[in-house]
Amino acid sequence: MALPQVDEAAKPLADRLRPKTIAEVVGQDHVLGPDGAIARVIERGFLPSLILWGPPGVGKTTIARLLAEAAGYEFQQISAVFSGVADLKKVFEAAQQTHRMGARTVLFVDEIHRFNRAQQDSFLPYVEAGVVTLIGATTENPSFELNGALLSRCQVFVLKRLDDAALDSLITRAEDHLGEALPLTAEARDTLKLLSDGDGRYILSLIESLHHMGFTEPLDSDGLLAHLQKRRPNHDKDREGHYNLISALHKSVRGSDPDAALYWLARMLNGGDDPLFIARRLIRMASEDIGNADPMSLLMCHAARDTYEVLGSPEGELALAQAVVHMASAPKSNAVYTAFKAAIKLAKDTGHLDPPAVILNAPTKLMKDIGYGAGYIYDPDDPDGFSGQNYFPDGMRRPRFYDPKGEGHEGKTRQRLEYWAELRDKKQTR
């Protein structure tokens, strides 16, 4: 059934200001500008299958429609949220009919990542035969969400969150269209852009709401925030944004930047991440990136987790912040992490070798008779408190896994190990 016609004035502002040409699209010059990859392809009159990957409200649907128009292709649009196998079959049949008539079809699939693997595979024969040119739109990383076979037949273009210049352009267009300036101070205009989080559709929705409120005096930032609903952070706990934020937190701690680490911690908590998940990751950071340079970090992270379990939110979140600041400010060493990986590798390669007989226990007479434990020196009884015996399998060249960085607590550890190494050489030479 055909949708009823909607009067132009009744359409949302975002629809009324939808770009009519590629040149009107803002914020994506890196792909659509004169030197952009898509622009060069369109100039040659050919449109390949492609994936548009970017956050919400940056123009993915509009760009797909305008590319089809520029290349002279028929445009068909479906949404993976509302479409199933039957809908895909109808689209492919229509595209085949168009193909037989000598025309080409762009099939635009919004939120293509929501199709399952089998549904994604159904595109392959039609894309390969040239029946459809597929343009998929996704907010999720295609590497994780799309079949490798489908990805290999598409070019992936990354669209950016709209920057200040692009948002300023949209605000100006909206003011021109509405015939009046926004009732905002300069500071409030900046706040409006922050509220949009780079989403063009959302900022136009906010502008439309302001327009209908009919303010006659300019609002400052506080006044704006009092009248407009703040957008929830764009952060899905099981999607790529979640892993991007934990990666940013981890690398800020590793990079010894407590201010950045606190910022990303706050972003994760504001986005609804489980604080206990964060606590587990902090424990990993303490062991992986700080290690024995500051052994206290690992204890603090366990204490922060326990504190959160006792207090809950929001009081317990302060303990997480305390651990984050401590670790970001602590000396760093991955010496244990690196040593353990090397030890694991050598253990796999030499797993057939037995321990030397000198360090084997001999609980029976037979075991003593065949040499188990013969010549073992009890280190505390040695005058130096260090026997220097070999604890590796006989015949194995002594490896060195652990190489303390000399930072923090490991500085003293390094001195002690160097002393023992020198003493070992002397005793084994004797």
Side-chain angles (χ1 to χ4, degrees):
M1 188 176 79
L3 294 175
Q5 293 295 316
V6 179
D7 181 64
E8 183 70 19
K11 291 182 179 179
L13 182 62
D15 279 350
R16 283 179 275 158
L17 293 183
R18 191 179 294 275
K20 303 297 191 296
T21 65
I22 290 290
E24 293 180 8
V25 177
V26 298
Q28 311 302 334
D29 287 348
H30 62 293
V31 292
L32 298 177
D35 297 324
I38 294 180
R40 289 196 297 271
V41 169
I42 292 299
E43 285 177 1
R44 294 194 292 271
F46 172 71
L47 183 60
S49 290
L50 50 91
I51 303 296
L52 300 176
W53 172 28
V58 298
K60 294 185 289 293
T61 304
T62 298
I63 290 171
R65 185 181 297 277
L66 294 177
L67 288 177
E69 291 179 5
Y73 287 28
E74 296 285 334
F75 185 80
Q76 293 288 332
Q77 176 177 351
I78 60 173
S79 171
V81 176
F82 303 110
S83 303
V85 175
D87 301 293
L88 288 175
K89 185 177 180 181
K90 291 178 181 178
V91 169
F92 291 141
E93 288 175 351
Q96 284 180 312
Q97 180 65 27
T98 301
H99 186 63
R100 284 192 288 267
M101 297 172 60
R104 295 179 175 180
T105 299
V106 161
L107 173 57
F108 175 68
V109 183
D110 195 19
E111 299 195 77
I112 191 172
H113 60 275
R114 294 185 182 272
F115 274 141
N116 62 36
R117 300 286 173 173
Q119 290 170 318
Q120 291 179 30
D121 282 341
S122 69
F123 291 102
L124 297 178
Y126 300 98
V127 171
E128 288 179 341
V131 173
V132 297
T133 293
L134 174 66
I135 299 182
T138 178
T139 56
E140 302 300 326
N141 190 327
S143 300
F144 302 143
E145 302 296 335
L146 300 185
N147 285 0
L150 186 59
L151 271 181
S152 70
R153 291 160 175 82
C154 300
Q155 297 183 42
V156 177
F157 293 99
V158 181
L159 303 183
K160 298 178 180 179
R161 196 176 301 276
L162 300 188
D163 59 17
D164 271 7
L167 294 173
D168 282 331
S169 179
L170 289 182
I171 292 173
T172 300
R173 289 185 192 178
E175 289 176 326
D176 291 342
H177 180 81
L178 297 173
E180 63 181 23
L182 293 181
L184 300 174
T185 65
E187 180 189 19
R189 288 172 76 95
D190 289 338
T191 300
L192 180 69
K193 289 184 286 186
L194 287 174
L195 285 175
S196 74
D197 194 26
D199 184 330
R201 185 188 306 110
Y202 189 63
I203 198 170
L204 291 174
S205 174
L206 295 177
I207 291 171
E208 188 169 22
S209 295
L210 274 175
H211 173 69
H212 288 300
M213 290 177 186
F215 293 107
T216 56
E217 296 295 326
L219 296 173
D220 59 14
S221 290
D222 290 340
L224 176 68
L225 293 172
H227 290 91
L228 292 181
Q229 182 179 10
K230 187 175 181 181
R231 181 177 182 171
R232 182 167 176 80
N234 180 29
H235 174 43
D236 292 326
K237 290 180 282 184
D238 62 343
R239 296 289 184 176
E240 193 203 9
H242 160 77
Y243 296 104
N244 286 344
L245 292 189
I246 193 62
S247 177
L249 172 59
H250 194 152
K251 289 180 173 62
S252 298
V253 168
R254 180 185 294 159
S256 301
D257 191 333
D259 296 317
L262 282 174
Y263 171 75
W264 294 117
L265 172 65
R267 281 279 299 271
M268 294 194 75
L269 293 172
N270 287 345
D273 263 299
D274 180 4
L276 290 176
F277 164 79
I278 298 173
R280 290 192 294 272
R281 287 300 294 257
L282 295 181
I283 292 171
R284 173 187 167 185
M285 296 175 205
S287 187
E288 178 180 332
D289 298 301
I290 297 170
N292 284 346
D294 179 50
M296 192 66 179
S297 289
L298 189 57
L299 298 178
M300 282 198 68
C301 289
H302 278 282
R305 181 199 61 187
D306 293 345
T307 301
Y308 181 82
E309 288 184 326
V310 171
L311 296 180
S313 292
E315 291 86 353
E317 293 169 3
L318 181 59
L320 300 180
Q322 183 179 355
V324 162
V325 170
H326 178 89
M327 289 199 297
S329 307
K332 307 298 187 294
S333 173
N334 68 341
V336 174
Y337 177 71
T338 302
F340 185 56
K341 287 200 300 182
I344 288 288
K345 182 179 185 305
L346 184 61
K348 288 180 178 178
D349 295 340
T350 59
H352 60 287
L353 299 178
D354 293 325
V358 69
I359 61 172
L360 297 180
N361 288 330
T364 69
K365 182 177 183 302
L366 173 62
M367 296 169 77
K368 289 180 181 178
D369 290 343
I370 62 176
Y372 277 33
Y376 174 70
I377 301 171
Y378 182 61
D379 285 71
D381 288 343
D382 186 88
D384 298 308
F386 177 79
S387 68
Q389 292 178 116
N390 175 53
Y391 300 104
F392 285 96
D394 291 329
M396 176 187 286
R397 185 175 180 179
R398 180 181 179 82
R400 181 174 180 179
F401 301 130
Y402 183 45
D403 184 20
K405 300 294 184 182
E407 297 291 333
H409 182 81
E410 275 194 331
K412 293 181 179 179
T413 301
R414 186 180 186 89
Q415 292 176 1
R416 190 161 53 249
L417 291 180
E418 288 174 348
Y419 166 72
W420 282 338
E422 183 179 350
L423 195 55
R424 182 185 297 110
D425 290 341
K426 289 180 180 178
K427 295 198 173 196
Q428 290 185 357
T429 300
R430 294 176 200 160

mmCIF file of all heavy atoms in Angstrom, residues 129-146:
data_model
loop_
_atom_site.group_PDB
_atom_site.id
_atom_site.type_symbol
_atom_site.label_atom_id
_atom_site.label_comp_id
_atom_site.label_asym_id
_atom_site.label_seq_id
_atom_site.Cartn_x
_atom_site.Cartn_y
_atom_site.Cartn_z
ATOM 1 N N ALA A 129 26.914 -10.976 -10.286
ATOM 2 C CA ALA A 129 26.358 -10.932 -11.649
ATOM 3 C C ALA A 129 26.074 -9.507 -12.119
ATOM 4 O O ALA A 129 25.677 -9.303 -13.269
ATOM 5 C CB ALA A 129 25.077 -11.762 -11.706
ATOM 6 N N GLY A 130 26.241 -8.534 -11.252
ATOM 7 C CA GLY A 130 25.974 -7.151 -11.636
ATOM 8 C C GLY A 130 24.503 -6.798 -11.646
ATOM 9 O O GLY A 130 24.122 -5.752 -12.180
ATOM 10 N N VAL A 131 23.664 -7.671 -11.059
ATOM 11 C CA VAL A 131 22.239 -7.392 -11.018
ATOM 12 C C VAL A 131 21.967 -6.206 -10.094
ATOM 13 O O VAL A 131 21.111 -5.366 -10.380
ATOM 14 C CB VAL A 131 21.460 -8.640 -10.547
ATOM 15 C CG1 VAL A 131 19.982 -8.313 -10.343
ATOM 16 C CG2 VAL A 131 21.621 -9.760 -11.565
ATOM 17 N N VAL A 132 22.682 -6.145 -8.991
ATOM 18 C CA VAL A 132 22.552 -5.011 -8.069
ATOM 19 C C VAL A 132 23.938 -4.490 -7.710
ATOM 20 O O VAL A 132 24.913 -5.236 -7.688
ATOM 21 C CB VAL A 132 21.801 -5.380 -6.765
ATOM 22 C CG1 VAL A 132 20.388 -5.794 -7.039
ATOM 23 C CG2 VAL A 132 22.554 -6.426 -5.970
ATOM 24 N N THR A 133 23.989 -3.201 -7.482
ATOM 25 C CA THR A 133 25.145 -2.601 -6.826
ATOM 26 C C THR A 133 24.725 -2.375 -5.383
ATOM 27 O O THR A 133 23.774 -1.640 -5.116
ATOM 28 C CB THR A 133 25.530 -1.269 -7.484
ATOM 29 O OG1 THR A 133 26.014 -1.523 -8.808
ATOM 30 C CG2 THR A 133 26.612 -0.557 -6.676
ATOM 31 N N LEU A 134 25.400 -3.039 -4.477
ATOM 32 C CA LEU A 134 25.020 -2.994 -3.072
ATOM 33 C C LEU A 134 25.693 -1.810 -2.381
ATOM 34 O O LEU A 134 26.902 -1.603 -2.497
ATOM 35 C CB LEU A 134 25.442 -4.289 -2.378
ATOM 36 C CG LEU A 134 25.244 -4.344 -0.860
ATOM 37 C CD1 LEU A 134 23.757 -4.306 -0.516
ATOM 38 C CD2 LEU A 134 25.903 -5.583 -0.269
ATOM 39 N N ILE A 135 24.886 -1.023 -1.673
ATOM 40 C CA ILE A 135 25.424 -0.015 -0.763
ATOM 41 C C ILE A 135 24.842 -0.322 0.611
ATOM 42 O O ILE A 135 23.638 -0.221 0.828
ATOM 43 C CB ILE A 135 25.060 1.425 -1.178
ATOM 44 C CG1 ILE A 135 25.628 1.739 -2.569
ATOM 45 C CG2 ILE A 135 25.605 2.412 -0.154
ATOM 46 C CD1 ILE A 135 25.361 3.165 -3.027
ATOM 47 N N GLY A 136 25.711 -0.736 1.512
ATOM 48 C CA GLY A 136 25.276 -1.051 2.862
ATOM 49 C C GLY A 136 25.669 0.059 3.810
ATOM 50 O O GLY A 136 26.736 0.662 3.671
ATOM 51 N N ALA A 137 24.813 0.343 4.764
ATOM 52 C CA ALA A 137 25.104 1.353 5.791
ATOM 53 C C ALA A 137 25.168 0.656 7.143
ATOM 54 O O ALA A 137 24.309 -0.170 7.455
ATOM 55 C CB ALA A 137 24.036 2.438 5.810
ATOM 56 N N THR A 138 26.187 0.986 7.917
ATOM 57 C CA THR A 138 26.334 0.359 9.217
ATOM 58 C C THR A 138 27.009 1.311 10.196
ATOM 59 O O THR A 138 27.872 2.102 9.803
ATOM 60 C CB THR A 138 27.136 -0.956 9.121
ATOM 61 O OG1 THR A 138 27.287 -1.516 10.427
ATOM 62 C CG2 THR A 138 28.510 -0.718 8.514
ATOM 63 N N THR A 139 26.597 1.206 11.443
ATOM 64 C CA THR A 139 27.263 1.952 12.507
ATOM 65 C C THR A 139 28.298 1.085 13.204
ATOM 66 O O THR A 139 29.023 1.566 14.066
ATOM 67 C CB THR A 139 26.247 2.433 13.557
ATOM 68 O OG1 THR A 139 25.531 1.297 14.055
ATOM 69 C CG2 THR A 139 25.256 3.422 12.950
ATOM 70 N N GLU A 140 28.374 -0.192 12.816
ATOM 71 C CA GLU A 140 29.276 -1.134 13.472
ATOM 72 C C GLU A 140 30.439 -1.490 12.562
ATOM 73 O O GLU A 140 30.352 -1.403 11.338
ATOM 74 C CB GLU A 140 28.525 -2.405 13.869
ATOM 75 C CG GLU A 140 27.350 -2.157 14.792
ATOM 76 C CD GLU A 140 27.758 -1.500 16.096
ATOM 77 O OE1 GLU A 140 28.870 -1.790 16.589
ATOM 78 O OE2 GLU A 140 26.970 -0.680 16.617
ATOM 79 N N ASN A 141 31.528 -1.919 13.165
ATOM 80 C CA ASN A 141 32.735 -2.250 12.415
ATOM 81 C C ASN A 141 32.454 -3.384 11.438
ATOM 82 O O ASN A 141 32.148 -4.505 11.862
ATOM 83 C CB ASN A 141 33.842 -2.664 13.396
ATOM 84 C CG ASN A 141 35.199 -2.782 12.729
ATOM 85 O OD1 ASN A 141 35.304 -3.145 11.569
ATOM 86 N ND2 ASN A 141 36.241 -2.484 13.469
ATOM 87 N N PRO A 142 32.562 -3.144 10.125
ATOM 88 C CA PRO A 142 32.264 -4.194 9.153
ATOM 89 C C PRO A 142 33.142 -5.429 9.317
ATOM 90 O O PRO A 142 32.719 -6.537 9.007
ATOM 91 C CB PRO A 142 32.527 -3.509 7.794
ATOM 92 C CG PRO A 142 32.423 -2.049 8.073
ATOM 93 C CD PRO A 142 32.924 -1.874 9.474
ATOM 94 N N SER A 143 34.353 -5.245 9.811
ATOM 95 C CA SER A 143 35.257 -6.380 9.983
ATOM 96 C C SER A 143 34.678 -7.428 10.918
ATOM 97 O O SER A 143 34.956 -8.617 10.783
ATOM 98 C CB SER A 143 36.608 -5.908 10.532
ATOM 99 O OG SER A 143 37.218 -4.987 9.664
ATOM 100 N N PHE A 144 33.873 -6.989 11.883
ATOM 101 C CA PHE A 144 33.294 -7.901 12.861
ATOM 102 C C PHE A 144 31.885 -8.339 12.490
ATOM 103 O O PHE A 144 31.456 -9.424 12.874
ATOM 104 C CB PHE A 144 33.252 -7.243 14.249
ATOM 105 C CG PHE A 144 34.598 -6.794 14.749
ATOM 106 C CD1 PHE A 144 34.724 -5.620 15.476
ATOM 107 C CD2 PHE A 144 35.742 -7.530 14.493
ATOM 108 C CE1 PHE A 144 35.955 -5.190 15.948
ATOM 109 C CE2 PHE A 144 36.982 -7.119 14.955
ATOM 110 C CZ PHE A 144 37.093 -5.951 15.686
ATOM 111 N N GLU A 145 31.156 -7.479 11.784
ATOM 112 C CA GLU A 145 29.713 -7.696 11.612
ATOM 113 C C GLU A 145 29.319 -8.232 10.237
ATOM 114 O O GLU A 145 28.199 -8.714 10.077
ATOM 115 C CB GLU A 145 28.963 -6.379 11.858
ATOM 116 C CG GLU A 145 29.209 -5.766 13.238
ATOM 117 C CD GLU A 145 28.695 -6.633 14.366
ATOM 118 O OE1 GLU A 145 27.767 -7.424 14.127
ATOM 119 O OE2 GLU A 145 29.233 -6.527 15.491
ATOM 120 N N LEU A 146 30.199 -8.157 9.247
ATOM 121 C CA LEU A 146 29.838 -8.590 7.890
ATOM 122 C C LEU A 146 30.672 -9.788 7.456
ATOM 123 O O LEU A 146 31.838 -9.928 7.851
ATOM 124 C CB LEU A 146 30.026 -7.447 6.891
ATOM 125 C CG LEU A 146 29.205 -6.179 7.146
ATOM 126 C CD1 LEU A 146 29.405 -5.186 6.008
ATOM 127 C CD2 LEU A 146 27.724 -6.493 7.312
#
